[in-house]
């Protein structure tokens, strides 16, 4: 529960629901673009040795960047 509160995980499930929750996340990830998944995986791997504060700052930056990219993509689509 503490990991959820500080933003390290996106959800907490009971042990009995872990496999179903894991498969659900895996199915969702499987629908995402491969390049985005590879990039995210590389970022996670690089963060494994970083201090927690640096990881949280990096995650915030990546979230902001992804929102900006999505906004620009929508605007570009609407203009053409």
């Amino acid at each position: 529960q503490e990991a959820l509160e500080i933003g390290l995980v996106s959800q907490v499930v009971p042990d009995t629901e872990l496999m179903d929750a894991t498969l659900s996340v895996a199915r969702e990830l499987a629908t995402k673009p491969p390049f985005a998944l590879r990039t995210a995986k590389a970022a996670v791997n690089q963060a494994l040795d970083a201090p927690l504060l640096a990881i949280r700052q990096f995650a915030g930056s990546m979230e902001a960047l992804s929102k900006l990219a999505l906004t620009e993509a929508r605007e570009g689509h609407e203009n053409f």
Side-chain angles (χ1 to χ4, degrees):
Q1 195 64 33
E2 183 180 348
L4 181 64
E5 292 171 8
I6 63 173
L8 289 178
V9 298
S10 59
Q11 64 180 325
V12 175
V13 298
D15 291 346
T16 57
E17 298 174 23
L18 183 57
M19 183 60 74
D20 289 337
T22 301
L23 290 173
S24 176
V25 170
R27 286 186 193 99
E28 182 181 344
L29 288 174
T31 68
K32 306 300 182 193
F35 176 76
L37 293 174
R38 283 192 302 274
T39 303
K41 183 179 177 181
V44 169
N45 286 336
Q46 289 177 354
L48 290 176
D49 294 326
L52 180 58
L53 179 59
I55 293 169
R56 292 182 75 189
Q57 290 171 337
F58 177 76
S61 297
M62 291 299 100
E63 183 177 1
L65 182 60
S66 68
K67 288 179 182 178
L68 176 63
L70 182 57
T71 299
E72 289 182 355
R74 284 185 182 143
E75 288 174 1
H77 179 69
E78 289 171 1
N79 290 326
F80 287 100

